[in-house]
Amino acid sequence: MRFLLKLLSYPYRMVVYVRHWMFDCGLLKSEKFSTPIICVGNITVGGTGKTPTAELILAYMMQYCRVAFLSRGYGRRTKGYLEVKASSSYREVGDEPLQVKLKFPEALVVVCEKRAEAIRRIETEHPETELIIMDDGFQHRYVDPRINVVVIDSTRPFYKDTYLPYGSLRDKVDSLYRAHYFIVTKCHENMSLLDQRLWRKELHKVAYQKIYFTRIVPSRAIPLFDTPYSLEEGGEVIVMAGIGNPRPFVSGAKERYRVDDTFIFSDHHVYSVSDIKSIMESLERHPKAMLLTTEKDAVKLRRSRRVPDYMRERLFYQPVKLEFIEGSDEDFLGTLKNDLEGKVHLGDMSIGGRDGRETGEMR
């Protein structure tokens, strides 16, 4: 099977290279927009930390301007342009866009598989929008963003990876030259300066841009429903995760709690009756344990009728936030804002002047 997957990775790689060549020579067109766009993307599949990074940028930029958040809405059962509401179902709009909307109810959150079409509609129907944050669009070259923020998982070095389906690369490494900022995520809190230099060396082979190193900081576990129980550090838990790369979440849980059992599902997993039954059986075997899951999974379970009361009162989720570690380049968010205002030059070009457009001041 591994040999077959490796064989299949070669035609996938060829398709990726041909597609980029078509954009580079003008056979396929990238569209530019008057509204500034920050794209948060990656070159690998699953669990690099894009959503926490996008949320970090969104929270900061909303202090200064009116921001829209645009996502493809991966895993949804609908098609086309939809504006996400707090009352939306994750099956209609996708779990990550709904998570963003619940966190930032005042923000415009849109899902659409055709990003350029969505941006045109946002500009027409919401002309007050001053900035668009486009999630997971780095390889989607039909849109030419003002700034590309590329997120890289430190636990899965891209320079040791191979193409899908054998590895996790979905884009060519050389495409990193289009990045303006690199954020290396899921770093160990004691990451050495030597390890950081090694990462800088590999990234600077393709693009000499600012590099930031972050770690995931788990917050206090929050009950998803009303409950008489609490979850304290050192308590018993059953871990459940349906995200792209669950290893950091599981290892973090083992550092803070006593893990009695673990359920790992695929990214964007839809919980079935049999899943709930298996989890319930584990809870019955460990009557003192609480159920600990991720924030993205909580979005899918919050309105599920399949979750019995016994499970509801033991269900907690773990919010996370990003923290920049010592050795990172200084002030990512402030530099990003200045970049949008045309005040920062990267190398020999500013973001505002990269495509010949003037960048207006944000209010």
Side-chain angles (χ1 to χ4, degrees), residues 287-305:
K288 295 182 180 180
M290 299 296 112
L291 183 62
L292 182 66
T293 192
T294 70
E295 192 169 13
K296 187 162 80 170
D297 289 289
V299 167
K300 293 180 284 190
L301 295 167
R302 57 192 276 270
R303 293 170 58 185
S304 175
R305 298 179 180 178

Side-chain angles (χ1 to χ4, degrees), residues 93-222:
V93 299
D95 46 18
E96 290 171 347
L98 182 56
Q99 175 182 313
V100 172
K101 184 63 179 180
L102 292 173
K103 273 189 173 180
F104 306 95
E106 64 276 23
L108 173 66
V109 179
V110 170
V111 293
C112 187
E113 61 275 15
K114 296 180 179 179
R115 316 295 174 83
E117 175 186 317
I119 295 168
R120 286 192 290 271
R121 286 194 60 171
I122 290 172
E123 291 185 332
T124 300
E125 299 174 18
H126 299 275
E128 72 281 1
T129 300
E130 298 170 281
L131 172 66
I132 297 172
I133 297 175
M134 184 170 67
D135 178 53
D136 195 21
F138 183 63
Q139 77 285 356
H140 186 86
R141 292 186 62 183
Y142 288 102
V143 173
D144 184 13
R146 185 74 55 88
I147 295 174
N148 276 311
V149 177
V150 175
V151 180
I152 297 169
D153 186 348
S154 68
T155 67
R156 297 183 297 177
F158 68 89
Y159 50 87
K160 296 180 181 179
D161 210 342
T162 55
Y163 285 86
L164 291 169
Y166 185 69
S168 61
L169 283 178
R170 61 173 174 176
D171 204 349
K172 64 176 185 174
V173 172
D174 288 350
S175 67
L176 290 175
Y177 83 91
R178 294 185 290 111
H180 302 102
Y181 297 89
F182 293 116
I183 296 185
V184 183
T185 61
K186 302 181 183 177
C187 301
H188 192 276
E189 61 181 318
N190 297 320
M191 186 181 197
S192 68
L193 294 178
L194 175 59
D195 286 337
Q196 292 184 32
R197 282 198 296 270
L198 292 174
W199 271 103
R200 292 179 192 278
K201 178 182 177 181
E202 293 296 332
L203 287 168
H204 286 165
K205 288 179 181 178
V206 286
Y208 200 87
Q209 306 292 21
K210 285 183 174 290
I211 301 172
Y212 299 86
F213 297 92
T214 66
R215 69 184 186 101
I216 292 177
V217 182
S219 303
R220 184 181 178 86
I222 300 173

